[in-house]
């Protein structure tokens, strides 16, 4: 057979397969009962789906082979439609639709296979345009036009719609306007998904599990932990909680600044002030003042300066007495930090810069062996970029000492090679952006970091401002002590509760729990609810408001939602039993349906955050849930009472919807570090 002949055979075989596949899709479409009352039905559809997937993959390969044979440059990336099991996972609707429409595009326009569908949720107030929209037709029209094919976006949209495989999530699709595809969700699916939340708890969306190292908080020993570190602590903790919920293996690392030349003067000063330090732990008390004193001596007294240098050398060579002094100084600091972490419910493993002393020596040798170090005025430097542009890293100082660059190079190597982390997250202020970019690039150049298998993110954040719009400081212009700040939060929260006369309703224990929940909750939420890349104004007045997107509003809303089932006169403690007793969630009322759809966006939100690590979207989601819930509650009776206040009817299905709302909010609160209390 000539090559043309064999190609013709292959093409007709392909056509046959395509036709077969279309019939199969049609059959599935018609044959679907798709009620999804039973998980069995899901399993069946999944199997069906797997088969279809397999066929499609074969078909796509055939097309790709054909196109290669014809010298086409189109690369076919086939994205199978995934339907996760609904018991252990919640489906991210957006992800599912992206898959579904990416396939439809590939089927309708084989030359454009691999083009990812653009899906966006439709604002609930515009429900007539569906619940989600696929907006790919316009950009596809442009691509086709560039390739010499003239087709209107509307025609393209129609072609796509014809090729959308049946999905248990989708009730119907519709082409509208210039070529938008409106997607309407299926109520049956929503009911099934909400019941699943009630039966099995709130589950994460499916994702590839990775070993992630989060470097956060990371204050410096003997220096004040400032509001910048507070931001890193709050954001880092939430990122860890989110990733842990998604099922990743998370290492929470406190990269303490516990090494370097400043320890020389601290040790020398300790020897003078507390000569007995070897036998009893020195009552340093105010480490801040201690630091200032030693710094003053260091700057003014040449003798002292010499001794300080000598102490550094001794410490770095492992001398026992200097090490003891160093440990004592670090302990004082760490205890202070720990108090803050406990108050904020933050967990961290300290692996400070000192941990890398031996690895810094190693990494210098390693970089030298790769000819990456250059002499510069007695220093050893390394360019992150082969073109020697930008700022070089200082790997060894002219006095032989190491720098912040050296410890970060040693740390990135340790994290990837020894800890086997696949994903590194640095939660550090925006000011260190260049430094961190330099570290990843240098590590890549040295063959330590491989962007094909590793991911590194700088979760940067802006500075904290005072209400005057200037850098956050005390009245006298000093850095604010974090413990003082938390104390003030507690005081303000109590004032707020007393103003609302909550002391008359709550027991002293309940009042204290509410006070702590509000105080720490509002500080964390104020930080997390702003886009972290911006600076933000720290204002107790604003964060303690009980209206708008604040922790106080959400905590109240949550408590109110929880109280509905408590006050309905029936036992709602066993939700599974209630569902087994044929209580149905109806979603008949427009506001019920809206609430259900809002709740089911939860996995979408998490998927998005795992990409951009912007937590304010989760805060916005909480606020949306709370406001959509009040719309529902204002319009739909859950409990009907007669004139004398007796309960005459309980709408159990709606109470189940309240319970699902509470469950989703509770999971969000956990990620955001908010501690709900039963009474507030
Ligand atoms: N200790 C540093 C500071 O206070 C932050 C360390 C961040 N982590 C890192 N691997 N460089 O600015």
């Amino acid at each position: 057979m000539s090559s043309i002949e064999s190609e013709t055979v292959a093409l007709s075989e392909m056509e046959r397969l395509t036709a077969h596949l279309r019939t199969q899709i049609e059959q599935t479409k018609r044959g679907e009962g798709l009620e999804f009352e039973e998980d069995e039905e899901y399993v069946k559809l999944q199997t069906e789906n797997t088969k279809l997937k397999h066929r499609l993959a074969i078909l796509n390969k055939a097309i790709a082979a054909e196109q290669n044979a014809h010298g086409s440059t189109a690369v076919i990336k086939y994205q199978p439609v995934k339907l996760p099991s609904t018991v252990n996972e919640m489906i991210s609707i957006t992800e599912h639709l992206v898959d579904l429409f990416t396939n439809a595009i590939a089927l309708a326009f084989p030359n454009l296979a691999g083009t990812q569908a653009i899906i966006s949720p439709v604002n609930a107030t515009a429900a007539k345009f569906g619940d989600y929209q696929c907006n790919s037709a316009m950009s596809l029209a442009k691509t086709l036009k560039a390739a010499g094919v003239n087709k209107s976006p509307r025609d393209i949209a129609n072609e796509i719609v014809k090729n959308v495989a049946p999905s248990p999530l989708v009730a119907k699709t519709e082409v509208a306007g210039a070529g938008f595809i409106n997607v309407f969700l299926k109520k049956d699916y929503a009911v099934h998904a909400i019941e699943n939340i009630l039966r099995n708890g709130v589950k994460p969306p499916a994702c590839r599990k990775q070993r992630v190292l989060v470097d956060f908080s990371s204050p410096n020993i003997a220096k004040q932990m400032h509001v910048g570190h507070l931001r890193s602590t709050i954001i880092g903790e939430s990122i860890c909680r989110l990733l842990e919920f998604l099922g990743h293996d998370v290492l929470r690392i406190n990269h303490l600044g516990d090494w370097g030349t400043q320890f020389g003067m601290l040790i020398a000063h300790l020897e003078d002030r507390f000569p007995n330090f070897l036998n009893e732990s020195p009552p340093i008390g105010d480490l801040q003042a201690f630091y200032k004193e030693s710094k003053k001596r260091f700057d003014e007294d040449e003798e002292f300066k010499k001794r300080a240098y000598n102490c550094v050398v001794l410490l770095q060579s492992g001398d026992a007495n200097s090490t003891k002094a160093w440990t004592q100084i670090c302990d004082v600091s760490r205890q202070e930090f720990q108090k803050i972490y406990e108050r904020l419910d933050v967990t961290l493993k300290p692996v400070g810069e000192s941990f890398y002393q031996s690895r810094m020596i190693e990494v210098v040798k390693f970089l030298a062996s790769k000819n990456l170090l250059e002499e510069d005025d007695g220093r050893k430097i390394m360019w992150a970029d082969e073109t020697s542009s930008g700022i070089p890293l200082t790997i060894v100082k002219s006095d032989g000492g190491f720098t912040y660059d050296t410890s970060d190079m040693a740390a990135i190597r340790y994290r990837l090679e020894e800890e086997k982390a696949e994903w590194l997250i640095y939660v550090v202020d925006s000011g260190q952006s260049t430094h961190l970019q330099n570290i990843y690039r240098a590590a890549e150049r040295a063959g330590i970091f491989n962007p094909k298998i590793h991911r590194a993110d700088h979760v940067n954040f802006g500075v904290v401002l005072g209400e005057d719009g200037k850098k956050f400081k005390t009245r006298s212009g000093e850095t604010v002590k974090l413990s003082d700040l938390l104390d003030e939060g507690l005081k303000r929260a109590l004032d707020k509760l007393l103003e609302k006369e909550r002391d008359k309703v709550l027991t002293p224990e309940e009042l204290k729990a509410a006070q702590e929940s509000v105080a720490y909750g509002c500080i964390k939420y104020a930080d997390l609810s702003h886009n972290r890349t911006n600076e933000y104004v720290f204002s107790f007045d604003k964060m303690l408001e009980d209206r708008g997107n604040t922790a106080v509003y959400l905590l109240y809303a949550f408590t109110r939602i929880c109280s509905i089932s408590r006050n309905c006169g029936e036992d709602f403690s066993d939700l599974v039993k209630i569902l087994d007793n044929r209580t149905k969630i109806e979603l008949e009322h427009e506001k019920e349906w809206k609430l259900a759809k809002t709740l089911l966006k939860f996995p979408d939100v998490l998927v998005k955050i795992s990409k951009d690590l912007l937590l304010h979207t989760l805060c916005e989601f909480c606020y949306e849930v709370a406001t959509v819930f009040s719309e529902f509650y204002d319009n739909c009776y859950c409990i009907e009472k007669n004139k004398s206040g007796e309960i005459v009817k309980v709408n159990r299905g709606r109470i189940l919807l309240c319970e699902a709302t509470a469950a989703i909010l509770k999971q969000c609160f956990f990620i955001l570090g908010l501690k709900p209390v039963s009474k507030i």
Side-chain angles (χ1 to χ4, degrees):
M1 233 191 307
S2 76
S3 82
I4 289 289
E5 270 168 335
S6 67
E7 266 169 28
T8 320
V9 173
L11 265 173
S12 62
E13 169 67 358
M14 218 169 67
E15 269 160 18
R16 200 182 57 76
L17 264 171
T18 318
H20 183 70
L21 190 81
R22 285 211 210 288
T23 329
Q24 225 185 14
I25 291 175
E26 281 312 312
Q27 274 168 0
T28 323
K29 256 186 196 160
R30 264 181 274 120
E32 48 159 33
L34 300 183
E35 286 305 321
F36 294 96
E37 312 253 4
E38 315 276 339
D39 277 327
E40 256 174 51
E41 214 93 31
Y42 260 96
V43 176
K44 241 169 65 193
L45 200 99
Q46 258 181 304
T47 326
E48 196 64 33
N49 194 46
T50 317
K51 283 189 201 153
L52 268 173
K53 241 160 55 182
H54 191 64
R55 288 204 154 270
L56 263 171
I58 295 173
L59 185 68
N60 272 311
K61 267 203 200 120
I63 297 173
E66 266 310 300
Q67 275 170 339
N68 284 340
H70 286 98
S72 156
T73 50
V75 186
I76 297 193
K77 267 207 228 110
Y78 173 71
Q79 301 261 330
V81 178
K82 292 172 268 154
L83 255 194
S85 94
T86 49
V87 177
N88 294 318
E89 280 151 356
M90 267 178 90
I91 296 179
S92 158
I93 299 175
T94 303
E95 295 264 289
H96 172 73
L97 295 178
V98 168
D99 275 357
L100 202 67
F101 281 86
T102 301
N103 281 321
I105 293 172
L107 283 173
F109 304 98
N111 282 332
L112 300 177
T115 312
Q116 231 201 23
I118 310 162
I119 302 288
S120 50
V122 175
N123 189 326
T125 46
K128 67 172 183 204
F129 298 120
D131 304 311
Y132 291 80
Q133 236 172 28
C134 170
N135 304 334
S136 295
M138 338 310 169
S139 58
L140 289 180
K142 280 196 199 120
T143 317
L144 284 173
K145 194 165 179 194
V149 182
N150 258 329
K151 246 187 198 253
S152 75
R154 249 196 108 89
D155 287 346
I156 294 173
N158 277 315
E159 291 283 310
I160 297 175
V161 163
K162 262 189 247 157
N163 284 285
V164 174
S167 155
L169 276 63
V170 178
K172 63 170 180 176
T173 48
E174 231 172 48
V175 176
F180 297 100
I181 304 171
N182 298 337
V183 182
F184 294 80
L185 283 188
K186 214 172 210 167
K187 267 190 196 162
D188 286 347
Y189 164 71
V191 169
H192 178 87
I194 301 269
E195 283 191 2
N196 203 51
I197 294 173
L198 297 168
R199 282 182 187 276
N200 305 302
V202 180
K203 301 285 177 186
C207 73
R208 189 169 72 85
K209 315 282 182 249
Q210 282 177 287
R211 190 162 162 83
V212 196
L213 188 144
V214 187
D215 173 331
F216 70 108
S217 193
S218 309
N220 303 315
I221 298 283
K223 289 193 196 150
Q224 194 75 254
M225 184 170 170
H226 54 70
V227 278
H229 296 119
L230 178 67
R231 286 210 82 179
S232 173
T233 308
I234 292 173
I235 298 170
E237 173 67 30
S238 279
I239 287 183
C240 291
R241 288 179 182 217
L242 176 103
L243 297 175
E244 281 157 358
F245 178 60
L246 290 172
H248 294 294
D249 175 14
V250 180
L251 296 157
R252 305 155 152 264
I253 302 299
N254 201 355
H255 190 79
L256 292 163
D258 62 357
W259 207 236
T261 39
Q262 79 272 25
F263 281 95
M265 67 184 193
L266 289 167
I267 294 170
H269 191 50
L270 185 82
E271 286 171 347
D272 295 345
R273 281 279 308 275
F274 305 103
N276 202 17
F277 75 94
L278 286 177
N279 305 313
E280 60 172 349
S281 66
I284 298 179
D286 188 349
L287 194 54
Q288 217 57 45
F290 185 84
Y291 182 91
K292 277 191 192 148
E293 281 163 30
S294 63
K295 177 87 172 83
K296 191 159 183 282
R297 290 182 70 190
F298 184 85
D299 291 339
E300 292 169 0
D301 180 346
E302 271 310 308
E303 266 313 295
F304 182 80
K305 198 170 189 163
K306 267 195 207 132
R307 255 183 65 215
Y309 276 130
N310 192 37
C311 286
V312 179
V313 177
L314 284 172
L315 176 68
Q316 301 205 336
S317 63
D319 167 71
N321 287 1
S322 312
T323 306
K324 173 97 190 176
W326 169 78
T327 314
Q328 282 166 336
I329 295 164
C330 290
D331 281 350
V332 177
S333 253
R334 265 202 303 264
Q335 279 156 16
E336 285 303 305
F337 298 153
Q338 194 50 37
K339 280 187 212 151
I340 305 274
Y341 298 144
E342 267 158 34
R343 291 176 77 171
L344 295 174
D345 200 10
V346 167
T347 311
L348 274 155
K349 181 178 171 199
V351 186
E353 292 174 15
S354 62
F355 173 83
Y356 299 102
Q357 173 62 20
S358 64
R359 288 176 176 83
M360 287 193 267
I361 300 171
E362 285 308 311
V363 86
V364 174
K365 280 191 207 149
F366 173 78
L367 296 174
S369 75
K370 295 206 147 202
N371 280 330
L372 291 168
L373 299 186
E374 261 174 49
E375 284 293 324
D376 177 71
D377 232 357
R379 305 180 302 157
K380 287 197 173 80
I381 58 162
M382 171 177 175
W383 296 97
D385 218 296
E386 274 143 58
T387 59
S388 306
S389 57
I391 314 161
L393 301 176
T394 302
I395 300 294
V396 185
K397 290 193 289 188
S398 50
D399 65 2
F402 298 144
T403 70
Y404 192 45
D405 292 339
T406 330
S407 61
D408 262 324
M409 284 305 283
I412 196 168
R413 189 171 183 223
Y414 169 76
R415 291 167 177 186
L416 296 173
E417 293 178 0
E418 293 184 61
E419 283 287 12
K420 306 260 183 271
E422 300 163 270
W423 182 5
L424 304 176
I425 298 178
Y426 294 80
V427 190
V428 188
D429 64 273
S430 299
Q432 299 196 30
S433 198
T434 318
H435 165 72
L436 289 171
Q437 294 304 327
N438 264 342
I439 295 293
Y440 315 147
R441 291 202 341 258
E444 188 180 338
R445 211 184 152 197
I448 297 168
F449 177 78
N450 176 358
K452 287 207 183 85
I453 51 170
H454 301 131
R455 171 175 171 186
D457 282 293
H458 176 201
V459 170
N460 61 322
F461 51 83
V463 287
V464 183
L465 302 176
E467 289 184 81
D468 54 2
K470 297 203 188 100
K471 232 177 153 179
F472 193 63
K473 289 257 152 74
T474 60
R475 264 180 227 281
S476 53
E478 299 196 22
T479 39
V480 179
K481 239 179 132 180
L482 284 196
S483 53
D484 293 347
L485 188 81
L486 299 184
D487 288 344
E488 177 162 2
L490 280 177
K491 190 186 150 293
R492 298 271 207 132
L494 186 62
D495 291 348
K496 186 94 194 172
L497 290 162
L498 295 180
E499 185 190 300
K500 288 177 170 257
E501 305 199 322
R502 303 310 292 161
D503 53 324
K504 304 220 163 79
V505 198
L506 305 178
T507 66
E509 293 75 38
E510 286 169 342
L511 188 67
K512 184 162 183 279
Q515 177 193 13
E516 288 179 359
S517 161
V518 168
Y520 303 141
C522 80
I523 295 175
K524 292 178 190 175
Y525 196 83
D527 194 316
L528 296 170
S529 59
H530 292 87
N531 181 327
R532 61 173 164 76
T533 57
N534 301 337
E535 31 185 50
Y536 97 94
V537 176
F538 192 98
S539 155
F540 274 121
D541 288 335
K542 284 234 166 58
M543 58 179 87
L544 282 164
E545 268 170 21
D546 48 18
R547 261 167 236 247
N549 188 8
T550 66
V552 183
Y553 169 74
L554 289 175
L555 288 167
Y556 273 107
F558 178 78
T559 315
R560 235 175 282 131
I561 299 171
C562 292
S563 69
I564 299 169
S565 68
R566 237 189 292 135
N567 298 330
C568 75
E570 291 185 16
D571 181 11
F572 264 78
S573 53
D574 190 345
L575 297 175
V576 175
K577 205 166 117 196
I578 293 172
L579 284 167
D580 286 345
N581 283 339
R582 308 207 152 269
T583 300
K584 286 255 169 276
I585 295 171
E586 304 280 356
L587 309 184
E588 284 307 326
H589 195 287
E590 169 210 351
K591 300 290 181 192
E592 289 177 295
W593 183 213
K594 185 174 172 186
L595 177 58
K597 285 187 291 194
T598 308
L599 297 180
L600 296 183
K601 279 197 225 160
F602 176 62
D604 284 357
V605 175
L606 297 193
V607 169
K608 183 175 180 298
I609 303 176
S610 65
K611 290 179 186 150
D612 60 21
L613 302 172
L614 290 169
L615 286 155
H616 67 277
T617 12
L618 188 59
C619 300
E620 280 163 9
F621 173 72
C622 286
Y623 187 54
E624 189 186 343
V625 168
T627 47
V628 173
F629 179 85
S630 27
E631 265 181 57
F632 151 80
Y633 196 64
D634 291 346
N635 287 281
C636 304
Y637 275 118
C638 291
I639 302 165
E640 283 175 48
K641 293 184 179 170
N642 63 14
K643 287 216 178 72
S644 44
E646 293 155 33
I647 297 174
V648 289
K649 195 178 159 204
V650 174
N651 186 325
R652 296 198 189 92
R654 285 181 180 165
I655 295 193
L656 288 180
L657 202 50
C658 300
E659 293 294 290
T661 309
I664 294 275
L665 277 181
K666 195 168 174 197
Q667 185 59 48
C668 295
F669 285 5
F670 180 77
I671 294 171
L672 297 169
L674 299 192
K675 272 199 188 145
V677 280
S678 54
K679 284 194 186 152
I680 191 168

